[in-house]
């Protein structure tokens, strides 16, 4: 009976979804406050199908790299960053990094490199440009998805150039798209608590807006379950939706659950999200972001079993093979650091969906019937 009552509460939102109407801040908060998980999943899956989604579920064969763990910012939620004197501090020599990637390519047929790192104060723009060019020359057919908006902003500080100028140099060296990291939660109140040393959200938007204006496609994220309110989560999604209305440059949204291990939040008693938290956030993201085509179930942080269920809660992408993930694992992720193509195909098929291997632009490379 309780479920029926709660479902009735979401009926006005269901009517909006079926009519293709846009959901607003109050709708988003009502969805997050609902405990009716199955209705949320059904609504999100319905929204996905109403907007033209099919049973296709995508993944990419990709390689994760981190060129440096050294970072000046000290975000309180981060277990990855090191000062240059701490154990684990690392800065890849460019030749070694490229050789490492080339060696891995001999056995793994990845089509994309996803590379992010700390805001290392000891670098200059030349390092970023040179590493991009070196990867491009060594692996000309691999898509380069490199550097968060925070790192691009860091490069403007290192070089004195504008965001557009930095992006132009990187694109000339071989950059193809930007990942979505550095977004965290946009609300200033939250950023002040969790990342007081990080630039305001306006810079994240400036970088992505500039990238879109140059024809670069990008990704967007949200790190949830730390100090933010439901209203601040929905505000974050609405800000992304607004930019997408303006530019259409985002390809996918990735909700990232906060992992507290090895951060100050662990000592203060924060815990990992539950499966219900994660499924709810994926469903609400799918419902609110009516203009971003893909929502990812990021198996690295939510586990492969939950990613399977998430495919019925609005997600249509399980990210990729990854290989060597370090950031989530530093913060306590207990998932493997890579999955093989066969495992992802099995995961998707067993969830009753059609596995489709994609390139970074969601062009189909292979389909499993
Ligand atoms: S989240 Fe990024 S910017 Fe913040 S401390 Fe970690 S590596 Fe540095």
């Amino acid at each position: 009976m309780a479920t029926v009552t709660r479902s009735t509460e979401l009926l006005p939102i269901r009517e909006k979804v079926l009519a293709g109407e846009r959901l607003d801040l109050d709708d988003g908060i009502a969805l997050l406050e609902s405990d009716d998980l199955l209705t949320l999943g059904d609504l999100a899956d319905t929204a996905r199908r109403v907007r033209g989604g099919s049973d296709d579920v995508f993944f990419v064969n990709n390689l994760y790299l981190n060129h440096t763990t050294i970072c000046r910012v000290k975000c309180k939620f981060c277990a990855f960053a090191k000062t240059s004197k701490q154990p684990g501090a690392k800065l890849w020599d460019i030749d070694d990094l490229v050789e490492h990637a080339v060696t891995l390519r001999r056995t793994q047929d990845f089509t994309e490199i996803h590379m992010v790192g700390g805001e290392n104060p000891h670098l200059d723009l030349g390092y970023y440009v040179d590493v991009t060019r070196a990867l491009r020359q060594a692996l000309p057919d691999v898509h380069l998805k490199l550097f968060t908006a925070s790192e691009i902003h860091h490069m403007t500080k290192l070089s004195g150039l504008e965001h557009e100028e930095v992006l132009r140099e990187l694109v000339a060296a071989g950059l193809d798209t930007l990942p979505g990291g550095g977004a965290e939660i946009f609300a200033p109140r939250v950023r002040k608590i969790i990342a007081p040393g990080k630039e305001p959200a306006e810079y994240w938007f400036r970088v992505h807006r500039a990238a879109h204006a140059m024809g670069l496609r990008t990704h967007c994220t949200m790190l949830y379950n730390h100090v933010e309110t439901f209203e601040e989560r929905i505000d974050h999604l609405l800000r992304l939706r607004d930019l997408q209305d303006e530019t259409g440059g985002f390809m996918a949204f990735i909700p990232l659950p906060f992992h507290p291990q090895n951060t100050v939040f662990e000592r203060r008693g924060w815990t990992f999200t539950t499966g219900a938290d994660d499924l709810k956030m994926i469903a609400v993201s799918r419902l609110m972001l009516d203009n971003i085509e893909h929502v990812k179930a990021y198996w690295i942080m939510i586990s492969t079993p939950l990613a399977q269920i998430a495919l019925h809660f609005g997600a249509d992408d399980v990210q990729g093979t990854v290989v060597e993930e370090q950031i989530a694992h530093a913060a306590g992720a207990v998932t493997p650091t890579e999955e093989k193509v066969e495992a992802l195909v099995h995961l998707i098929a067993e969830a009753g969906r059609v596995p489709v291997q994609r390139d970074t632009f969601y062009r189909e490379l292979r389909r499993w019937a």
Side-chain angles (χ1 to χ4, degrees):
M1 274 309 284
T3 300
V4 171
T5 306
R6 287 197 295 267
S7 296
T8 307
E9 281 172 8
L10 295 177
L11 266 181
I13 296 179
R14 178 179 293 280
E15 282 165 18
K16 277 185 161 184
V17 168
L18 290 174
E21 270 180 49
R22 183 157 264 195
L23 303 184
D24 60 22
L25 178 73
D26 291 340
D27 294 327
I29 294 170
L31 288 165
L32 281 176
E33 285 177 345
S34 171
D35 291 327
D36 191 351
L37 199 57
L38 294 183
T39 297
L40 288 175
D42 181 50
L43 275 175
D45 199 52
T46 301
R48 194 177 62 75
R49 289 182 189 282
V50 163
R51 297 175 201 146
S54 67
D55 279 346
D56 290 357
V57 168
F58 300 92
F59 69 92
V60 65
N61 194 342
N62 60 357
L63 170 69
Y64 273 36
L65 295 173
N66 302 113
H67 49 287
T68 183
T69 60
I70 298 168
C71 185
R72 59 161 195 93
V73 185
K74 299 189 171 58
C75 299
K76 293 198 167 61
F77 60 83
C78 181
F80 165 80
K82 304 275 183 273
T83 63
S84 47
K85 295 202 170 40
Q86 275 182 308
K90 181 166 177 99
L91 168 64
W92 273 95
D93 170 80
I94 292 177
D95 290 342
D96 293 345
L97 179 77
V98 171
E99 192 185 323
H100 177 65
V102 168
T103 304
L104 285 171
R105 188 86 195 295
R106 289 193 194 113
T107 52
Q108 329 235 8
D109 196 20
F110 53 84
T111 60
E112 170 189 287
I113 289 178
H114 168 117
M115 185 170 81
V116 297
E119 296 189 25
N120 188 329
H122 310 298
L123 294 178
D124 58 19
L125 179 60
Y127 176 90
Y128 293 96
V129 172
D130 289 349
V131 75
T132 304
R133 187 179 299 112
L135 285 169
R136 168 56 64 236
Q137 284 170 355
L139 297 165
D141 54 340
V142 172
H143 182 104
L144 299 182
K145 177 181 158 206
L146 316 178
F147 313 129
T148 64
S150 297
E151 290 178 273
I152 302 290
H153 183 64
H154 178 55
M155 291 175 218
T156 67
K157 297 281 173 204
L158 294 172
S159 65
L161 297 178
E162 294 295 325
H163 299 85
E164 291 78 2
E165 294 170 311
V166 166
L167 285 170
R168 260 198 294 278
E169 292 222 17
L170 294 171
V171 168
L175 176 75
D176 290 310
T177 53
L178 295 182
E184 325 313 353
I185 290 278
F186 294 133
R189 183 195 74 84
V190 175
R191 280 179 111 75
K192 217 158 134 189
I193 299 169
I194 64 165
K198 194 165 243 177
E199 67 286 348
E202 286 65 33
Y203 288 100
W204 191 94
F205 281 100
R206 188 178 293 182
V207 170
H208 283 267
R209 186 177 279 109
H212 296 172
M214 295 168 56
L216 274 188
R217 307 296 306 279
T218 72
H219 303 77
C220 52
T221 61
M222 174 174 70
L223 184 75
Y224 64 93
N225 194 48
H226 35 86
V227 303
E228 81 288 1
T229 62
F230 282 170
E231 184 168 350
E232 285 160 340
R233 285 191 199 182
I234 300 299
D235 167 71
H236 185 100
L237 297 178
L238 294 182
R239 291 196 207 197
L240 291 174
R241 195 171 77 180
D242 286 348
L243 182 58
Q244 183 72 343
D245 275 348
E246 188 185 318
T247 66
F250 293 126
M251 289 189 284
F253 173 71
I254 309 106
L256 304 169
F258 171 53
H259 282 14
Q261 200 171 306
N262 302 322
T263 74
V264 294
F265 289 99
E266 181 185 28
R267 295 192 284 282
R268 293 177 191 166
W270 260 251
T271 54
F272 288 83
T273 48
T274 63
D277 291 332
D278 296 330
L279 290 175
K280 187 186 280 194
M281 201 56 245
I282 286 170
V284 174
S285 305
R286 180 61 294 163
L287 284 158
M288 298 305 297
L289 296 173
D290 54 22
N291 54 0
I292 297 180
E293 197 169 349
H294 304 286
V295 171
K296 292 187 189 182
Y298 195 57
W299 67 259
I300 298 104
M301 291 180 122
I302 66 171
S303 80
T304 44
L306 197 64
Q308 250 186 335
I309 302 171
L311 301 181
H312 297 270
F313 280 71
D316 70 339
D317 188 316
V318 293
Q319 176 64 353
T321 48
V322 175
V323 188
E324 299 194 331
E325 201 289 327
Q326 290 184 50
I327 295 175
H329 287 81
V334 292
T335 51
T337 57
E338 75 167 287
E339 285 289 353
K340 301 290 184 205
V341 167
E342 298 72 31
L344 294 178
V345 168
H346 182 68
L347 176 158
I348 295 166
E350 286 294 300
R353 300 295 202 231
V354 179
V356 177
Q357 185 177 346
R358 63 170 174 86
D359 69 6
T360 309
F361 294 117
Y362 285 84
R363 292 178 296 217
E364 181 176 324
L365 299 179
R366 189 177 168 196
R367 166 182 295 271
W368 283 258

